[in-house]
């Protein structure tokens, strides 16, 4: 039985984002010990927005295919499961590789399990570079074979 796992914490962007958040916290230090009220307001705003960003950053997702179900887990720092949602393979009818156009940079490729009534399970996304396209196509075909769902091919998202 093949098992596929896609974790956000294994992507370099997640770690770079954490470093950027730490640097933003360090950079904002002068805002929390101000001489003027205006700077205190900016400090409160700065750290409130930073705290909100840290909450989203600290809860990356993990998607997996277990052989009989597609599972999405929200993990605290990528280690401790906080929320789990499981959907059986029977809830989906096909695997699709969807292209989402980007204004700047390469497009984004999504490997999706599509069900009836517009339900979808986004398994993995990657930039549409030459290597990224080949890896996503391979993943979509392997996921289709392992799940028994047909691979519908690549679709260009109209918006």
């Amino acid at each position: 039985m093949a098992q596929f796992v896609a974790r956000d914490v294994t992507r370099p962007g997640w770690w770079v984002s954490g470093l950027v958040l730490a640097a933003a916290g360090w950079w904002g230090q002068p805002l929390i010990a101000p001489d003027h009220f205006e700077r205190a307001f900016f400090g409160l705003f700065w750290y409130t927005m930073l705290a909100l960003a840290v909450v989203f950053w600290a809860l990356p997702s993990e998607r997996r295919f277990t052989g009989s179900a597609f599972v999405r887990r929200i993990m605290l720092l990528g280690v401790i499961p906080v929320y789990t949602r499981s959907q059986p393979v029977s809830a989906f009818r096909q695997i699709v590789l969807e292209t989402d156009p980007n204004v700047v940079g390469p497009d984004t490729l999504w490997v999706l399990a599509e069900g009836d009534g517009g339900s979808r399970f986004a398994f993995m996304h990657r930039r549409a570079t030459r290597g990224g396209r080949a890896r996503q196509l391979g993943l979509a075909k392997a996921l289709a074979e392992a799940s028994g769902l047909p691979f519908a091919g690549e679709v260009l998202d109209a918006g």
Side-chain angles (χ1 to χ4, degrees), residues 1-7 62-67 69-71 121 123-124 138-147:
M1 170 177 56
Q3 186 172 21
F4 298 90
V5 178
R7 292 184 177 100
E62 172 185 275
R63 284 96 40 220
R64 61 177 57 225
F65 172 71
T66 63
F70 290 98
V71 180
F121 183 89
F123 191 79
M124 177 127 187
L139 174 64
K141 287 179 178 178
L143 196 58
E145 183 179 324
S147 66

Side-chain angles (χ1 to χ4, degrees), residues 71-102:
V71 180
R72 177 177 316 281
R73 298 190 318 171
I74 304 299
M75 311 281 282
L76 179 61
L77 297 175
V79 179
I80 302 168
V82 176
Y83 173 78
T84 301
R85 181 175 180 208
S86 180
Q87 295 175 289
V89 173
S90 61
F92 302 99
R93 65 177 172 11
Q94 65 185 0
I95 302 293
V96 175
L97 182 61
E98 186 174 284
T99 303
D100 190 15
N102 290 332

Side-chain angles (χ1 to χ4, degrees), residues 2 10 33 38 40 43 48 50 60 70-71 83 90 95 112 116-117 134-136 143 152-153 155:
T10 60
E38 294 85 19
T48 301
L50 200 57
F70 290 98
V71 180
Y83 173 78
S90 61
I95 302 293
L112 304 166
D116 294 325
R135 285 191 302 259
Q136 288 295 80
L143 196 58
V155 177

Side-chain angles (χ1 to χ4, degrees), residues 4-29:
F4 298 90
V5 178
R7 292 184 177 100
D8 288 343
V9 296
T10 60
R11 302 180 81 139
W14 188 79
W15 293 96
V16 170
S17 298
L19 292 173
V20 167
L21 289 170
W26 179 80
W27 181 83
Q29 286 178 3

